[in-house]
Amino acid sequence: MTDFSDACRTELWRDFDESTAYPKLRPLLAHYTTLPVLEKIVMNNEMWFSHPLLMNDSEEMRWGLEQGQRLFLSNENIMAACGSDARRAKLIEDFNSRYIQYTHMEAASTYVACFCRHDDANERDGILSMWRGYGGNGSGVALIFDTQYINAREDTPFVLAPIVYLSQAERTAHITAQVNSLAEIIRAHNPPDDQVYLASGWFMERLKLFSLFTKHNGFSEEREWRLAYMGDRDKDGLFHDMIGYFITDRGAQPKLKLKIGPHPGFKDPELTLEKLAHSVLLGPSLAGRLNQLAIERMLMLANKPKLRMAVRVSGIPYRA
């Protein structure tokens, strides 16, 4: 890797710790969902990832990519830094090629699983807005994971990170600042003609992550973390056979059905759902003893005795 390439990568990742599969912060993460989904998770030992374009944020992924393209191609500083029409044309051609490749092909194999950061000491009962929005309006469940046990290979196609919540103006300013920084690097290093394209490559890689891990600040109360699968990084096809679909009342939706267990994509040879799961928190509408007994029975039939012992009920006095 050239000094110029190193400088591009260092500058663009200054605000993002892409230790990705090995984040320094290892919080508890709650996945709020319905009882039928919990049943699928424990019976099949798999977690379903959804495509970001099908989520409730209409700007999800698409906004960041489109704005990034517009701001990169219209930035006068980066075009001036190239120094010649030929170099500018090469940079634009390379960026457009990468952008089309990702948006028309590779983005289709991007999937995310969404979680809410969980503070077990101060929010032992969960968060009411999350119960209402994602936990079956209080009659669902929060499956709480301990992320210290998620240890993937260094070349993993998975990225685990928190969402950064910003307004549209703040996101636009951030992208613009990134492009201006890249222009300064081009100007300072003055790379040869056959290396100037590296700037667009690093910018495109960072833009993918920016689009996946930033959201409108109106969603900030969700305190979301997500585990994203980026199919374009799965060079060995380790997870290709887990990509499937699910039929809903809105039609067929693509899903990544990630098997939870020992797998070449992860380091832990003893990885299990029971090891990952910290607890099973039942929604406030499931406070009845018979509900709890039935769910404990579900976990026993799924051969998850440790999870059965980790079942508890939210004490929020919420009636749907």
Side-chain angles (χ1 to χ4, degrees), residues 186-296:
I186 294 174
R187 185 177 290 108
H189 284 260
N190 191 27
D193 291 354
D194 63 352
Q195 290 188 19
V196 70
Y197 75 94
L198 294 171
S200 67
W202 282 118
F203 179 76
M204 188 64 213
E205 288 304 308
R206 184 64 185 88
L207 183 60
K208 296 176 190 177
L209 293 176
F210 179 85
S211 301
L212 281 172
F213 290 95
T214 58
K215 294 182 71 169
H216 191 281
N217 52 6
F219 290 89
S220 60
E221 68 176 14
E222 296 182 352
R223 290 160 33 193
E224 182 182 348
W225 278 58
R226 61 177 43 168
L227 183 61
Y229 167 79
M230 305 182 73
D232 57 307
R233 296 186 175 193
D234 191 1
K235 303 302 183 184
D236 296 329
L238 295 175
F239 300 90
H240 288 180
D241 62 348
M242 298 183 192
I243 297 176
Y245 66 92
F246 180 62
I247 303 297
T248 73
D249 55 3
R250 294 183 295 172
Q253 295 185 2
K255 296 286 184 181
L256 172 69
K257 301 179 180 181
L258 177 66
K259 290 293 183 183
I260 302 173
H263 194 281
F266 293 90
K267 289 184 174 182
D268 191 345
E270 299 178 354
L271 185 67
T272 65
L273 179 59
E274 287 186 291
K275 188 173 185 177
L276 283 173
H278 169 273
S279 54
V280 180
L281 179 60
L282 307 187
S285 297
L286 299 177
R289 181 58 182 157
L290 288 178
N291 280 320
Q292 185 172 348
L293 287 174
I295 293 167
E296 289 176 356

Side-chain angles (χ1 to χ4, degrees), residues 130-147:
M130 297 300 292
W131 285 123
R132 287 171 169 163
Y134 303 99
N137 197 23
S139 63
V141 62
L143 186 55
I144 300 171
F145 293 94
D146 189 339
T147 57

Side-chain angles (χ1 to χ4, degrees), residues 34 52 64 66 77 83 107 138 142 160 167 182-183 186 207 230 236 292 313:
T34 62
E66 291 175 352
N77 291 331
L160 176 67
S167 67
L182 204 57
I186 294 174
L207 183 60
M230 305 182 73
D236 296 329
Q292 185 172 348
V313 183

